[in-house]
Amino acid sequence: MDTRPIKWDNYKIIFEKYSFALYFLNSLIIAVTATLANLLLSSLAGYGLAKFHFKGRNILFLLIVVTLLLPRQALIVPLYMIISSMNLVDSTLAIILPYVTSPFAIFLMRQFFLSVPDDMIEAARVDGATELQIFFKIILPMAKPALAALGIFSFMFNWNNFLWPLVVLRSDAKFTLPLGIVMMQDIYSKAYNEIFVAAAFASLPIIIVYFILQKKFINSMVLTGVPKKGNG
């Protein structure tokens, strides 16, 4: 049995030796902003595809679903060209913009909104409510389970995102936590104690977010994907 004492100094070293706090803050800003934008925009898109009847609606939804088959690596070059043309390379906005919405998020929200009765929406319209009032005051509060699930998925992806920040970021001050942890590895030696401590810190926000939203997340697994008959 290993009786060696725990060296708590390792937790202090990563803040003193590296810009760990800055990397942590960068990742937090990016993950929170991208997640909130994804929740709002994907909810609007999913609601429109589920409850508004317009020409080409099914084809548009099919195209969105088909894009799920594209590997993210195949989108790196065109995304970089777009970001470069906007002069956003090496900026926080360059990390956030490509992930303010996603095909999976739109699909998830659409499937949930299909379970919302059309009669409830029609009743609100008869009462004089505008479409935005219906969405924000009636539909969105009902979608808390689906929003919780999407929030967990989106936050976890943006928090752990490594490849895209590696491509567009240049300045050490802009680095996210995954990039920062990689930079802690020296070419000739690796301080595994420091890397493991940094990885432990990096996992905390995801664990906290899950425990806060776990009840609604479990509810969403039951409700999402079971559309009410006649609303498809």
Side-chain angles (χ1 to χ4, degrees), residues 1-173:
M1 182 177 179
D2 191 350
T3 58
R4 289 177 295 180
I6 298 176
K7 294 184 178 180
W8 298 104
D9 290 342
N10 290 325
Y11 291 88
K12 183 179 179 181
I13 289 173
I14 62 172
F15 286 97
E16 294 179 345
K17 187 177 178 181
Y18 307 98
S19 302
F20 186 82
L22 180 60
Y23 300 151
F24 191 96
L25 181 61
N26 290 341
S27 286
L28 190 63
I29 292 173
I30 290 170
V32 171
T33 304
T35 298
L36 292 177
N38 196 9
L39 290 176
L40 176 61
L41 298 179
S42 298
S43 297
L44 287 168
Y47 177 64
L49 289 170
K51 295 303 179 183
F52 288 87
H53 299 277
F54 53 89
K55 188 176 182 180
R57 182 184 69 164
N58 293 331
I59 296 176
L60 178 59
F61 177 65
L62 179 62
L63 291 174
I64 292 174
V65 172
V66 167
T67 59
L68 289 170
L69 302 176
L70 295 173
R72 293 188 181 275
Q73 293 79 358
L75 303 176
I76 292 295
V77 173
L79 275 177
Y80 183 84
M81 293 176 65
I82 294 172
I83 293 298
S84 179
S85 67
M86 299 170 66
N87 296 319
L88 293 176
V89 174
D90 195 28
S91 68
T92 301
L93 199 57
I95 309 298
I96 296 173
L97 280 181
Y99 302 107
V100 294
T101 188
S102 68
F104 170 75
I106 295 173
F107 170 80
L108 180 69
M109 297 310 300
R110 175 188 179 273
Q111 294 306 106
F112 181 87
F113 288 137
L114 286 175
S115 66
V116 177
D118 290 338
D119 294 342
M120 182 180 298
I121 299 174
E122 291 300 329
R125 287 171 180 163
V126 171
D127 289 339
T130 64
E131 295 298 334
L132 287 178
Q133 287 175 332
I134 294 172
F135 177 76
F136 285 106
K137 294 185 178 180
I138 299 175
I139 301 300
L140 214 54
M142 295 176 59
K144 287 181 180 178
L147 290 173
L150 179 57
I152 292 174
F153 292 142
S154 181
F155 184 87
M156 184 170 62
F157 172 80
N158 286 287
W159 182 262
N160 293 326
N161 194 7
F162 172 77
L163 182 58
W164 179 240
L166 179 65
V167 172
V168 297
L169 293 182
R170 303 286 184 272
S171 306
D172 180 78

Side-chain angles (χ1 to χ4, degrees), residues 155-232:
F155 184 87
M156 184 170 62
F157 172 80
N158 286 287
W159 182 262
N160 293 326
N161 194 7
F162 172 77
L163 182 58
W164 179 240
L166 179 65
V167 172
V168 297
L169 293 182
R170 303 286 184 272
S171 306
D172 180 78
K174 303 288 181 62
F175 281 178
T176 59
L177 199 54
L179 285 181
I181 293 176
V182 171
M183 296 305 168
M184 292 169 63
Q185 304 181 42
D186 189 79
I187 298 176
Y188 302 104
S189 64
K190 292 179 175 63
Y192 289 109
N193 57 324
E194 299 171 5
I195 295 172
F196 290 156
V197 168
F201 263 113
S203 65
L204 286 178
I206 296 176
I207 296 173
I208 293 172
V209 168
Y210 176 75
F211 274 106
I212 292 174
L213 302 177
Q214 63 173 327
K215 185 176 181 181
K216 293 186 182 299
F217 173 77
I218 294 171
N219 290 339
S220 72
M221 295 298 100
V222 177
L223 297 175
T224 305
V226 188
K228 187 174 180 179
K229 186 176 180 181
N231 285 348

